[in-house]
Amino acid sequence: MDVLERDELACLVKRHWFLRYCYAPEEIQQAQNLGPERRLEYLAGRFAAKEAILKALGKGLFQGIAPRNIHIKRADDGSPHVELRAEAAEAASDQTVRISITHKSNVVAAVALVSSPEPARHHQ
């Protein structure tokens, strides 16, 4: 789980190095199409989600997985969907990663769940 205030990122999201390190190219492109308030909300939600996923994988922000390799996409039903790339995919191996993101006023929260596949059951 990760919680932050949107304002915590207001200065950082103006820095190109931060955007390139933390966000997938598709996320940066999507954010460019949003108005200033919605852009900050979108980027803060994605950042909280990436932090929550890293924690669920047992990693920290600078511990071998670049957050840009955790792409938070939008499923057809509007829910967030996780696509892991490069070292993020390796760290999760065959695990499933799910994420939930919520916004209220200036606060953004995200909860990540990492689960292993159920072992196959054999009927006798």
Side-chain angles (χ1 to χ4, degrees):
M1 177 174 185
D2 192 64
V3 178
L4 63 92
E5 291 187 18
R6 288 185 309 174
D7 295 343
E8 292 178 64
L9 286 184
C11 289
L12 286 173
V13 296
K14 294 176 184 173
R15 297 193 162 98
H16 294 292
W17 68 266
F18 181 80
L19 290 174
R20 283 192 310 272
Y21 180 71
C22 289
Y23 299 98
E26 298 92 336
E27 293 167 327
I28 294 170
Q29 183 177 10
Q30 177 69 32
Q32 289 173 343
N33 297 326
L34 304 172
E37 284 297 311
R38 179 64 184 114
R39 179 177 185 268
L40 183 57
E41 179 183 70
Y42 173 87
L43 291 173
R46 293 319 191 255
F47 186 81
K50 293 163 189 272
E51 283 267 41
I53 292 166
L54 287 170
K55 290 174 186 175
L57 292 173
K59 301 287 186 181
L61 186 57
F62 298 104
Q63 294 182 338
I65 298 175
R68 70 177 166 268
N69 288 323
I70 301 171
H71 178 200
I72 310 298
K73 303 185 335 181
R74 183 177 228 148
D76 291 339
D77 65 2
S79 64
H81 175 75
V82 179
E83 178 186 314
L84 301 176
R85 301 170 176 170
E87 72 276 1
E90 292 172 20
S93 57
D94 63 348
Q95 297 173 314
T96 300
V97 179
R98 293 191 173 93
I99 191 74
S100 178
I101 306 169
T102 189
H103 307 264
K104 185 169 184 175
S105 298
N106 195 40
V107 177
V108 178
V111 176
L113 176 65
V114 176
S115 59
S116 297
E118 294 284 327
R121 295 185 182 180
H122 300 283
H123 297 290
Q124 295 180 342

